Amino acid sequence: MSDRIRLEDLKPAEGSKGKTKRVGRGRSSGHGKTSCRGNNGEGQRAGRSSKRGFEGGQMPGYRQMPKLKGFKNFNAIKTGSVNVSDLESISGDIITLEILQKAGKISDKAEILRVLGNGELKKAVKISANYFTESAKEKIEKAGGKAQLL
């Protein structure tokens, strides 16, 4: 005999199948007269189902809350920007996006690296980035380094 599950072997989980409550079967049953529906009102009628969010005539929560303004674009490419002066503190002469993320200079979620021209650079570094400002490229090459576009 194989270990495969067959249709006739399937059964409901323990405790998931209880007896259905029989209502409206006389006073002695404990569920007689109004059949657990309380006394009078629209909820006692047959076929009644309320709309989602209905709170019995009270102003519903979704109408009490203010409307949200704007949105967050989850498809936007996450860009990390770093200044030339920040490159000074990175050890090593080759700098990449991953190295800057490990050093905590840019966010771990950044996918693109932009190098901006603020500050001064005194050491020669080779940096790979997706974008360089004119002044950043100038300062890196002036210090004896190399700016490589990805």
Side-chain angles (χ1 to χ4, degrees):
M1 190 163 140
S2 68
D3 293 334
R4 292 173 34 171
I5 296 175
R6 297 190 318 249
L7 196 59
E8 58 267 24
D9 295 335
L10 297 176
K11 56 186 173 189
E14 192 67 39
S16 67
K17 300 283 280 180
K19 281 191 169 184
T20 56
K21 183 195 285 190
R22 295 187 72 226
V23 296
R25 297 296 183 275
R27 284 188 169 185
S28 61
S29 70
H31 305 299
K33 193 178 178 248
T34 55
S35 305
C36 307
R37 288 176 176 249
N39 296 317
N40 302 334
E42 66 180 333
Q44 282 50 258
R45 304 292 178 240
R48 188 264 185 190
S49 60
S50 63
K51 290 195 308 189
R52 186 177 15 170
F54 182 68
E55 297 183 16
Q58 173 179 301
M59 184 65 71
Y62 70 88
R63 286 188 57 199
Q64 291 176 18
M65 297 294 138
K67 288 184 180 178
L68 294 175
K69 303 278 193 264
F71 73 101
K72 184 166 183 143
N73 186 359
F74 292 102
N75 297 323
I77 297 171
K78 278 101 180 147
T79 306
S81 299
V82 67
N83 284 311
V84 173
S85 59
D86 296 333
L87 303 177
E88 194 77 42
S89 61
I90 306 293
S91 59
D93 50 344
I94 297 175
I95 299 173
T96 61
L97 176 72
E98 292 78 26
I99 291 170
L100 289 167
Q101 286 173 335
K102 285 178 187 170
K105 296 290 181 185
I106 57 173
S107 168
D108 290 336
K109 295 176 183 173
E111 300 166 4
I112 288 178
L113 178 60
R114 293 172 59 99
V115 182
L116 308 176
N118 280 356
E120 290 300 318
L121 184 64
K122 294 176 183 72
K123 69 176 191 174
V125 291
K126 181 182 177 189
I127 180 161
S128 301
N130 301 83
Y131 177 81
F132 293 93
T133 60
E134 287 297 319
S135 59
K137 196 170 192 178
E138 210 172 89
K139 288 176 183 180
I140 291 168
E141 289 170 357
K142 184 180 172 187
K146 186 177 177 190
Q148 182 184 356
L149 277 171
L150 294 176

